[in-house]
Amino acid sequence: MTTDPNAIQPSELDQLPDRDPEETAEWQASLDAVTEAAGPHRAAYLMRRTLERAEGAGLALPKLLETDYVNTIPTAAEPAVDGDEALEQRITAWNRWNAAAMVTRGSKYGVGGHIATFASAAWLYETGFNHFFRGKEGDGSGDQLYIQGHASPGIYARAFLDGRIGEQQLDNFRREAGGNGLPSYPHPRRLPWLWEFPTVSMGLGPISAIYQARFNRYLTSRGIKDVSDSHVWAFLGDGEMDEPESTTALTLASREQLDNLTFVINCNLQRLDGPVRANFKIVQELEAQFRGAGWNVIKTLWGTAWDELFRLDTTGALVRRLREVPDAQVQTYQTRDAAYIREDFFGKDPALVEMAKLLSDDKILECFHLSRGGHESRKVYAAYKAALAHKGAPTVILAQTVKGHTLGEGFASKNANHQMKKLTVDEFKAMRDRLELPISDSQFVDGQVPYVHPGADSPEIRYLQERRAALGGPAPARRVHPVAPLPQPAEKAFAAFDKGSGSQNVATTMAFVRLVKDLVRDKETGKRWVPIVPDEARTFGMESLFPSLGIYSPMGQTYEPVDRDQLMYYKEAKNGQIFNEGITEAGAMAEFVAASTSYATHGETMIPFYIYYSMFGWQRTGDQMWQLGDQLGRGFLVGATAGRTTLTGEGLQHADGHSPVIAATNPAALTYDPAFAYEIGVIVKEGLRRMFGEALPDEDQNVFYYLTVYNEPLPQPAKPQTAGIDEGIVKGLYRFNTAESAGLSPAANAPRIQLLGSGTAIHWALKAQKLLAEEWGVAADVWSATSWTELRRDAMEADEALLRGEDRVPFVRQALQGAEGPVLAVSDYMRQVPDQIAQWVEQDYSSLGADGFGLSDTRDAARRHFGVDAESIVVAALAQLARRGEVQAASVKEAREKYGL
């Protein structure tokens, strides 16, 4: 069976009523006639013009996902630049020079650096700094700038011209250990007065920018602060857009009409090792992707030199050829002579052959070597102005550039330029001449390239500073506005579980949620809580917050919820407080980062807590948690349904036995594994004080708390009335009970052991304590290890103090001082978690843990499988005592047989 290629294929239109088939046939016949008489290209042009007219008239038609490979804004439609273009040209030349000099001078120390990225993107930044990016010293919060990480040398170079960075700091680029250095990339923790947002972990900049723009709307909608004048600018690489995080939230941005957001994608067509799309066109692919997601797309591809070529293109042959040439070939044109371009580009079409006869070699080389839309301030200015004017959707600007532009033939468009870290003196002299900079040969002392500055009173510097003053001060810049510490909520909320839960079984996940329910009602601080959950609110028992707090939605609730007649119905509101993110842990983390840094970005302290399946936190979005630490975020991460054996039946990919190990690697993360509800109250109270209240002089407020909580309903005991218990909970260890206080009445000379448990494992330790006393005559004391990680950090600090000649005893050693017998530690995590403290425990130390992959089964069966249940603890305790000669060795075998191990 064959198919007629000219036949009309079935489509969705066949299902729609046709009121006038004869009229439809006439339109189709007209199209056929144009195609036959004028060719398919003319017919396609007319169709696109018709669709354009239809869209302008407000007809509901699907948009075209791709346009021709030309500028969206024609030269004739470009607005005049509001400024001195000649001065801006000179400022940009100085910045290009100093950026390259900084990296080259640093190369002698072997620290590396990137030259080619800023060289391609210089005008994308300079145009923004001179005309669009609002600073922090004007009204409001200013703009938020997500700078492409590899372009950081250019940002430092501008700060050098601006007087914010000196030559010594430039020479300390990537050399921070001795102080007064500059970090390699945008790292707020390393340079907190300049950088706001870490971006160089590829893909995190785009998603973070989207959620920052959304959080700006959230603050305004909830009446916390009007930040509607803030605009979010994200500078990205075309290769970076392959990262899944780069595009995962595009539809959210359009769905919520975030016209306070602009992506600027530097399309230099190159990634780290070669072309982004060697056999295709990355600009066209990105255009279709963003248009399909509902974004406004502006293409800024060709410089003014191309205008003459487009005027000569009376047949459309040039536009067709530009669409069909793959990116890798465009890159090749950048490095070849005019004869090659005449043959390979123009020689493919007779109309282009005739056009090329009208062009000089110099004109061809100007167009194909130099003239790109991203290299001309007028075209970038027009794109930025159009982006700000567009309402109802975010904008992406696809700016075509040449990687390594102005650095010379050795750099421009070369596949290896990402790894090229320096220019020779001769290359710098050629660059000087190319940029027309007044630098003499004598300034190259001992063969070293100089930093250059036109002088504090020069026209360039005065202009630069005047432009920034008019726009609200220097940029980029991070400002932490002085805000009063938040008052501590009423004690009643934290003490709610001090008396225990009585006969009621309560999971620690539910205990945390109950605590938050009370805290959001606080008159002073309640409105500052930002609950974030990735479509698991009902799993965590948070549905009762829906009607009281509302789920944030910029559209409000445009429908009648199916559960409207229920007490805990699904309520969305424009001023809703909860972020119910859907199934996107990456999106939830991006929202958390935006909320957790609001104290600096907007001068408004917010208290975010993000609750999620613990397995899908540090394992899945750990990179964003490092970003959170770098960005100096504050808040509570809550890994719920935690543990390798506690989330019964869910299996390997849900069984978290390692998140505290990963969390322990992050210096900003304070990791806790609370066993009881009252411990959660103490930890959250301390977290609120330290991060948002009256911190002590030597405390770093720029930390975040990670709590693991469990879904196993268990009796919650009353808080022991023991001196120093709160200190022990915060520092990581306290004695919950002794064999005697547990009413077990051991013999006076009974062997004794110390059982340390964290999280839900303490319940297994308590059962083991009873078995040891009643069946083996062993006295066991039970300790709650709320934070193995904090115990370890304190001990490491004590070691460091010892090297300084200070005599300091680690807290874990202080707490266990005088405790009789060996120590056996157990948790619902791999043994590496409790083993963090082993070297600082003076007693004999051993541990049990859930090492290996998780599995599906009942809790009891899983715990027996991993050897962490009460009976396994008993056998391990007896074995430890037998090695010390305190119990008979035969009792170990007997216990093993008795419990079926």
mmCIF file of all heavy atoms in Angstrom, residues 25 126 188 223 240 353 515 524 617 678 804 862:
data_model
loop_
_atom_site.group_PDB
_atom_site.id
_atom_site.type_symbol
_atom_site.label_atom_id
_atom_site.label_comp_id
_atom_site.label_asym_id
_atom_site.label_seq_id
_atom_site.Cartn_x
_atom_site.Cartn_y
_atom_site.Cartn_z
ATOM 1 N N ALA A 25 -12.570 24.876 0.766
ATOM 2 C CA ALA A 25 -11.913 24.375 -0.447
ATOM 3 C C ALA A 25 -11.293 25.517 -1.243
ATOM 4 O O ALA A 25 -10.223 25.364 -1.850
ATOM 5 C CB ALA A 25 -12.922 23.609 -1.290
ATOM 6 N N GLU A 126 27.421 44.453 29.921
ATOM 7 C CA GLU A 126 27.663 45.901 29.970
ATOM 8 C C GLU A 126 26.404 46.699 29.638
ATOM 9 O O GLU A 126 26.139 47.738 30.250
ATOM 10 C CB GLU A 126 28.799 46.266 29.010
ATOM 11 C CG GLU A 126 30.164 45.774 29.455
ATOM 12 C CD GLU A 126 30.558 46.335 30.807
ATOM 13 O OE1 GLU A 126 30.401 47.548 31.028
ATOM 14 O OE2 GLU A 126 31.012 45.547 31.661
ATOM 15 N N PRO A 188 28.512 33.589 47.146
ATOM 16 C CA PRO A 188 28.190 34.565 48.192
ATOM 17 C C PRO A 188 28.899 34.287 49.522
ATOM 18 O O PRO A 188 29.285 35.224 50.224
ATOM 19 C CB PRO A 188 26.668 34.436 48.332
ATOM 20 C CG PRO A 188 26.218 33.887 47.026
ATOM 21 C CD PRO A 188 27.314 32.998 46.541
ATOM 22 N N GLY A 223 1.466 40.556 51.050
ATOM 23 C CA GLY A 223 1.559 41.813 51.773
ATOM 24 C C GLY A 223 2.767 41.914 52.676
ATOM 25 O O GLY A 223 2.824 42.791 53.543
ATOM 26 N N GLU A 240 24.482 25.008 28.733
ATOM 27 C CA GLU A 240 23.893 24.785 30.062
ATOM 28 C C GLU A 240 22.428 24.382 29.975
ATOM 29 O O GLU A 240 21.901 23.718 30.883
ATOM 30 C CB GLU A 240 24.045 26.068 30.888
ATOM 31 C CG GLU A 240 23.481 26.013 32.282
ATOM 32 C CD GLU A 240 23.652 27.326 33.026
ATOM 33 O OE1 GLU A 240 24.095 28.318 32.406
ATOM 34 O OE2 GLU A 240 23.341 27.369 34.231
ATOM 35 N N VAL A 353 24.886 32.889 -5.040
ATOM 36 C CA VAL A 353 26.096 33.104 -5.835
ATOM 37 C C VAL A 353 26.087 34.519 -6.414
ATOM 38 O O VAL A 353 27.094 35.232 -6.389
ATOM 39 C CB VAL A 353 26.210 32.053 -6.958
ATOM 40 C CG1 VAL A 353 27.345 32.415 -7.920
ATOM 41 C CG2 VAL A 353 26.428 30.661 -6.371
ATOM 42 N N LEU A 515 3.703 20.979 65.707
ATOM 43 C CA LEU A 515 4.448 22.128 66.206
ATOM 44 C C LEU A 515 4.325 23.309 65.245
ATOM 45 O O LEU A 515 4.072 24.445 65.661
ATOM 46 C CB LEU A 515 5.920 21.743 66.396
ATOM 47 C CG LEU A 515 6.867 22.881 66.785
ATOM 48 C CD1 LEU A 515 6.476 23.480 68.130
ATOM 49 C CD2 LEU A 515 8.318 22.371 66.835
ATOM 50 N N GLU A 524 3.168 37.386 66.113
ATOM 51 C CA GLU A 524 4.335 38.150 65.680
ATOM 52 C C GLU A 524 5.045 37.519 64.482
ATOM 53 O O GLU A 524 5.435 38.193 63.549
ATOM 54 C CB GLU A 524 5.331 38.280 66.855
ATOM 55 C CG GLU A 524 4.803 39.084 68.021
ATOM 56 C CD GLU A 524 4.664 40.558 67.689
ATOM 57 O OE1 GLU A 524 5.437 41.052 66.840
ATOM 58 O OE2 GLU A 524 3.776 41.211 68.258
ATOM 59 N N GLY A 617 15.738 13.969 49.175
ATOM 60 C CA GLY A 617 16.348 15.241 49.513
ATOM 61 C C GLY A 617 17.817 15.271 49.161
ATOM 62 O O GLY A 617 18.212 15.555 48.032
ATOM 63 N N TYR A 678 9.393 15.936 72.166
ATOM 64 C CA TYR A 678 9.899 17.072 72.935
ATOM 65 C C TYR A 678 11.274 17.503 72.426
ATOM 66 O O TYR A 678 11.640 18.685 72.534
ATOM 67 C CB TYR A 678 9.925 16.770 74.436
ATOM 68 C CG TYR A 678 10.881 15.685 74.868
ATOM 69 C CD1 TYR A 678 12.246 15.940 75.009
ATOM 70 C CD2 TYR A 678 10.422 14.412 75.197
ATOM 71 C CE1 TYR A 678 13.125 14.956 75.428
ATOM 72 C CE2 TYR A 678 11.288 13.414 75.607
ATOM 73 C CZ TYR A 678 12.637 13.686 75.720
ATOM 74 O OH TYR A 678 13.508 12.710 76.142
ATOM 75 N N ARG A 804 46.178 24.651 68.863
ATOM 76 C CA ARG A 804 46.480 26.045 69.215
ATOM 77 C C ARG A 804 46.941 26.182 70.654
ATOM 78 O O ARG A 804 47.142 27.295 71.144
ATOM 79 C CB ARG A 804 45.236 26.918 68.990
ATOM 80 C CG ARG A 804 44.746 26.976 67.552
ATOM 81 C CD ARG A 804 43.692 28.066 67.378
ATOM 82 N NE ARG A 804 42.530 27.848 68.217
ATOM 83 C CZ ARG A 804 41.438 27.202 67.840
ATOM 84 N NH1 ARG A 804 41.385 26.669 66.609
ATOM 85 N NH2 ARG A 804 40.413 27.045 68.658
ATOM 86 N N ALA A 862 12.312 -6.098 58.327
ATOM 87 C CA ALA A 862 13.428 -5.319 57.791
ATOM 88 C C ALA A 862 14.492 -5.105 58.862
ATOM 89 O O ALA A 862 15.696 -5.202 58.590
ATOM 90 C CB ALA A 862 12.920 -3.977 57.258
#
